[in-house]
Amino acid sequence: MLAKRIIPCLDIKDGQTVKGTNFVNLRQAGDPVELARAYSEQGADELVFLDITASFEGRKTFAELVKRIAANISIPFTVGGGIHELSDVDRLLSAGADKISINSSAIKHPQLIDEIAKNFGSQVCVLAVDAKQTENGWKCYLNGGRVETDKELFSWTREAQDRGAGEVLFTSMDHDGVKTGYANEALAHLASELKIPIIASGGAGNMEHFYDAFVQGKADAALAASVFHFGEIKIPELKSYLCGKGINVR
């Protein structure tokens, strides 16, 4: 069994790390470069950087900030937000990103997934999905959770996999920042449908939630933000807890 990954996430707005609940009520969480360096030193397996208002504000992700973070870490680094075309991918990879996460642009132009996979390799393309359970099943949302689309979670992620996405980062909007655990049922369903790795996002409140995401949710990686940013969970302690529960962590 592949080792499970622990991934802190930096949600960036106006150059600062922020964290909210259900995608709103954002509060400051610190300097992104300092946080990134600390996570790299603490043994995080990867780092995700999401410029959360880039798509909504119609602008590009800060390549300068990506460069500064990349210079301070020694772990794989995924960057998302405001990526619309291959030149954006090229720019961010040149700035030090290892993978690119696309969400809104993939829903609007699914062929972007094919293009990234063809030009840079599937391992570079992470499909991020912000989804919410509705009366009509799990629906995917655009622009940082602001706009509901007609895309359904399971069919959309299958299509993305077929187009060449190398990984799926699934955030349950109802669980985001609430700290009551991940959307394990939906995660397990994704795991049974897809062959590519799935990163669980939204809902981590304690160490047990990570364990549940791996065991019940069958996730390959678990991503969290506020519990790490505000020191509620320390990565070395989390890894030793999971190890003690028989989870193979890096």
Side-chain angles (χ1 to χ4, degrees):
M1 186 177 71
L2 280 175
K4 304 294 190 184
R5 291 169 286 151
I6 302 296
I7 307 177
C9 179
L10 304 176
D11 290 328
I12 307 292
K13 183 177 190 287
D14 305 327
Q16 284 296 310
T17 314
V18 294
K19 188 60 199 125
T21 305
N22 304 131
F23 284 43
V24 292
N25 303 327
L26 301 176
R27 58 181 174 147
Q28 294 284 346
D31 175 69
V33 180
E34 292 304 313
L35 282 169
R37 184 191 294 131
Y39 292 140
S40 182
E41 287 167 358
Q42 285 170 25
D45 298 304
E46 292 183 23
L47 183 70
V48 168
F49 165 114
L50 299 175
D51 189 336
I52 58 170
T53 54
S55 288
F56 175 62
E57 292 168 3
R59 58 173 173 76
K60 310 289 190 187
T61 301
F62 305 123
E64 266 319 297
L65 184 52
V66 170
K67 216 172 266 183
R68 283 171 48 218
I69 291 173
N72 280 277
I73 62 176
S74 56
I75 52 177
F77 182 28
T78 300
V79 176
I83 297 162
H84 304 292
E85 53 201 12
L86 282 184
S87 59
D88 297 332
V89 178
D90 201 29
R91 188 169 48 87
L92 293 168
L93 293 176
S94 300
D98 299 288
K99 304 181 202 176
I100 298 303
S101 158
I102 52 173
N103 184 341
S104 299
S105 57
I107 289 177
K108 290 174 185 162
H109 309 289
Q111 68 277 14
L112 183 59
I113 300 170
D114 308 64
E115 290 169 11
I116 294 172
K118 186 166 147 258
N119 286 273
F120 302 103
S122 282
Q123 79 288 349
V124 165
C125 185
V126 178
L127 177 80
V129 183
D130 297 331
K132 193 186 272 191
Q133 205 159 17
T134 70
E135 288 170 3
N136 305 314
W138 281 91
K139 289 294 183 182
C140 303
Y141 281 69
L142 284 176
N143 293 356
R146 291 174 179 83
V147 182
E148 186 180 328
T149 71
D150 60 357
K151 295 275 191 212
E152 187 271 335
L153 172 64
F154 304 111
S155 56
W156 170 227
T157 49
R158 269 199 312 275
E159 179 187 336
Q161 172 181 265
D162 294 344
R163 286 179 177 275
E167 215 164 2
V168 168
L169 165 54
F170 161 55
T171 303
S172 164
M173 293 170 61
D174 294 321
H175 293 71
D176 174 69
V178 187
K179 301 186 177 179
T180 52
Y182 294 93
N184 293 321
E185 208 172 300
L187 280 166
H189 192 82
L190 277 175
S192 69
E193 297 260 323
L194 304 177
K195 297 182 183 75
I196 54 177
I198 294 149
I199 304 167
S201 165
N206 59 41
M207 295 196 203
E208 202 174 321
H209 292 152
F210 288 85
Y211 175 79
D212 291 342
F214 294 138
V215 175
Q216 294 167 21
K218 312 269 190 283
D220 299 277
L223 174 146
S226 58
V227 288
F228 295 144
H229 299 340
F230 302 114
E232 294 159 47
I233 295 178
K234 303 272 194 296
I235 290 170
E237 290 165 19
L238 173 59
K239 286 193 163 188
S240 103
Y241 163 82
L242 290 168
C243 221
K245 300 268 279 182
I247 301 290
N248 177 19
V249 288
R250 294 186 176 183

